[in-house]
């Protein structure tokens, strides 16, 4: 049934038109077939990726995989060598067109906050609003949102590291950019404050409608703050999805480790049996994401709390046990004294010297061809 609004339009029809408009008009920040090199070193190899309006997208990967390079291309710090970047459906940068950072509707937050030391907190936040009549109101509103009301006349060096980074985020958001770019923003913050700062930043950013891209090498950080995660390896996007999707169906061993950590067992599969130095495992114990052939080496990922131990007098020897309260971290040695660390449930309690076999605890372990 169609219901007319005040202007005589059907609300169902209005909603449909808006949905169609969104579907045909690309929004957010989009990278299309991006390549980039430093001298003879290839940093990015055909990156196509989109951060949607209102979304926090994390680029997750080891140092040197190309995360910061991609961010710097969007910011205008580096010129686009090949491919293109669009913002809100409008071309932003390409090989032929590379506007400087100040000509882009982009907010930047760096690892070290990069605040202007000679400006007050309020002046830092309002730096991009110099000529706006609403400047003071915007600054005061942001000071309140980051919990620093009354500290506007202080200088950056009088603030803690966490407070400085809050100011850096507020400064980047003050001009209402279409996209916010954050490069390892919490790496220099004391570990005890990182989670709180991540939560505050997510709340602050999600209150806007800008696309946000955050670079990190910390899987926990990505899983806690991001709507979607793009895992990068050697200049490529290995997989992009929600934390739940990456955990449930990782495209590679690296993605599996990034989305949930764990111990890795090297194995050879023969007639449905995976043979490792720490035991033999049946096919039903494993979940292969790429079908292996006989004699083909595979890597088995044993995630925390996904294994159980069984007493066996001729089994592996436990050499160390640590109790965290939430789990036991058990070290096992094989006959050649190679070690394997497993994170297990806190019960039953194991002790150094126990002899055991490794078993699944009901869920198959992810396995990948090498």
């Amino acid at each position: 049934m169609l219901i007319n609004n005040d202007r005589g339009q059907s609300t169902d029809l209005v909603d449909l038109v808006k949905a169609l408009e969104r579907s045909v008009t690309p929004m957010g920040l989009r990278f299309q077939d991006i390549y980039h090199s430093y001298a003879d070193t290839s940093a990015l190899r055909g990156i196509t990726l989109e951060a949607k309006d209102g979304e926090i997208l994390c680029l997750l990967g080891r140092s040197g995989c190309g995360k910061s390079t991609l961010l710097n291309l969007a910011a205008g710090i580096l010129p686009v060598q090949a491919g293109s970047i669009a913002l809100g459906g409008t071309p932003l940068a390409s090989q032929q067109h590379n506007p400087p950072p100040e000509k882009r509707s982009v907010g930047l937050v760096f690892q070290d906050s990069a605040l202007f030391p000679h400006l007050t907190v309020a002046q830092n936040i309002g730096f991009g609003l110099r000529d706006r009549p609403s400047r003071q109101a915007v600054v005061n509103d942001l000071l309140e949102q980051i919990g620093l009301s009354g500290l506007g006349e202080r200088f950056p060096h009088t603030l803690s590291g966490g407070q400085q980074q809050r100011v850096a985020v507020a400064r980047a958001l003050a001009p209402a950019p279409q996209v916010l770019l954050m490069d390892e923003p919490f790496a220099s913050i004391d570990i005890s404050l990182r989670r709180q700062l991540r939560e505050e930043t997510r709340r602050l950013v999600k209150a806007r409608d800008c696309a946000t891209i955050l670079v990190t090498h910390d899987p926990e950080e990505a899983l806690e703050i991001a709507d979607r995660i793009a895992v990068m390896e050697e200049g490529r996007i290995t997989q992009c999805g929600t934390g739940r999707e990456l955990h449930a169906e990782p495209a590679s061993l690296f993605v599996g480790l990034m989305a949930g950590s764990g111990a890795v067992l090297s194995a050879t599969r023969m007639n449905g049996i995976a043979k490792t130095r720490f035991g033999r495992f049946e096919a039903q114990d494993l979940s292969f994401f790429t079908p292996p052939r006989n004699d083909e080496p595979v890597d088995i990922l044993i995630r925390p709390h996904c294994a159980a131990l069984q007493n066996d007098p001729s089994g592996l020897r436990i050499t160390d046990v640590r109790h965290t309260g939430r789990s036991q971290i058990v070290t096992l040695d094989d006959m050649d004294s190679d070690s394997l660390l497993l994170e297990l449930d806190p019960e039953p309690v194991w002790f150094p010297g126990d002899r055991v076999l490794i078993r699944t605890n009901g869920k198959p372990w992810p396995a990948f061809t090498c």
Side-chain angles (χ1 to χ4, degrees):
M1 180 176 178
L2 301 182
I3 302 174
N4 291 335
N5 61 18
D6 292 339
R7 290 174 293 179
Q9 295 174 303
S10 160
T11 55
D12 286 357
L13 181 59
V14 170
D15 290 342
L16 177 60
V17 170
K18 289 181 178 179
L20 289 172
E21 289 175 347
R22 286 194 297 268
S23 68
V24 299
T25 305
M27 302 303 289
L29 183 70
R30 180 171 177 81
F31 301 91
Q32 183 66 46
D33 208 22
I34 297 290
Y35 289 81
H36 197 86
S37 297
Y38 298 101
D40 295 328
T41 302
S42 180
L44 297 175
R45 307 177 185 186
I47 297 291
T48 295
L49 184 67
E50 182 177 6
K52 303 172 185 177
D53 284 340
E55 175 185 54
I56 299 177
L57 174 69
C58 270
L59 301 179
L60 174 64
R62 296 190 180 104
S63 297
C65 70
K67 307 184 301 295
S68 293
T69 297
L70 193 62
L71 210 70
N72 288 336
L73 289 171
I77 297 172
L78 291 174
V80 174
Q81 296 175 350
S84 62
I85 305 173
L87 180 56
T90 301
L92 176 67
S94 64
Q95 189 174 2
Q96 295 76 31
H97 177 65
N98 274 292
E102 62 272 16
K103 298 296 183 180
R104 306 183 183 205
S105 183
V106 171
L108 295 172
V109 181
F110 301 99
Q111 180 176 330
D112 60 355
S113 77
L115 298 177
F116 302 113
H118 62 290
L119 299 181
T120 66
V121 167
Q123 289 170 336
N124 265 282
I125 293 175
F127 184 79
L129 303 169
R130 293 180 185 178
D131 300 325
R132 295 191 185 181
S134 60
R135 179 180 184 275
Q136 194 58 51
V138 172
V139 170
N140 289 341
D141 182 52
L142 283 167
L143 280 170
E144 182 176 354
Q145 291 185 52
I146 63 175
L148 297 181
S149 294
L151 302 185
E153 298 309 308
R154 298 265 294 270
F155 285 89
H157 73 273
T158 68
L159 303 180
S160 68
Q163 289 173 326
Q164 290 181 28
Q165 204 63 332
R166 289 187 184 97
V167 174
V169 173
R171 180 180 63 181
L173 290 173
Q178 290 179 265
V179 62
L180 177 66
L181 305 176
M182 308 177 77
D183 195 356
E184 301 276 6
F186 313 117
S188 60
I189 304 301
D190 186 278
I191 192 168
S192 64
L193 297 176
R194 283 183 199 170
R195 174 167 289 178
Q196 177 186 348
L197 190 55
R198 286 198 293 260
E199 289 302 311
E200 291 176 357
T201 300
R202 179 175 169 84
R203 172 183 52 78
L204 193 62
V205 169
K206 294 296 281 187
R208 274 71 180 166
D209 198 33
C210 63
T212 299
I213 298 182
L214 184 147
V215 162
T216 182
H217 63 270
D218 182 350
E220 180 182 351
E221 181 169 289
L223 291 168
E224 287 191 357
I225 197 172
D227 297 307
R228 287 190 304 139
I229 301 168
V231 180
M232 292 188 67
E233 293 183 77
E234 299 180 345
R236 295 185 175 92
I237 302 294
T238 304
Q239 189 174 359
C240 184
T242 65
R244 183 177 182 179
E245 291 168 343
L246 300 186
H247 189 275
E249 296 187 9
S252 70
L253 175 63
F254 182 72
V255 173
L257 288 168
M258 290 289 101
S261 70
V264 179
L265 276 179
S266 297
T268 301
R269 186 174 180 270
M270 176 65 71
N271 298 325
I273 302 294
K275 300 178 181 179
T276 81
R277 299 174 70 91
F278 293 87
R280 297 154 61 96
F281 303 97
E282 303 286 343
Q284 61 265 27
D285 294 332
L286 308 176
S287 177
F288 285 97
F289 291 91
T290 50
R293 298 183 295 271
N294 275 345
D295 292 326
E296 187 174 26
V298 298
D299 286 324
I300 300 170
L301 175 60
I302 307 178
R303 288 180 167 140
H305 306 281
C306 288
L309 301 182
Q310 172 186 320
N311 280 303
D312 189 294
S314 60
L316 304 163
R317 184 169 64 93
I318 295 179
T319 58
D320 190 25
V321 180
R322 285 159 282 172
H323 298 274
T324 68
R326 295 177 300 176
S327 64
Q328 298 175 86
I329 300 175
V330 175
T331 303
L332 301 171
D333 279 4
D334 70 0
M335 297 302 179
D336 296 320
S337 296
D338 285 340
S339 294
L340 176 71
L341 268 67
L342 295 179
E343 186 173 355
L344 308 173
D345 292 333
E347 300 287 343
V349 176
W350 297 99
F351 300 92
D354 287 345
R355 292 278 183 174
V356 297
L357 297 178
I358 307 172
R359 294 287 180 260
T360 67
N361 65 352
K363 294 183 179 180
W365 298 331
F368 309 87
T369 54
C370 300

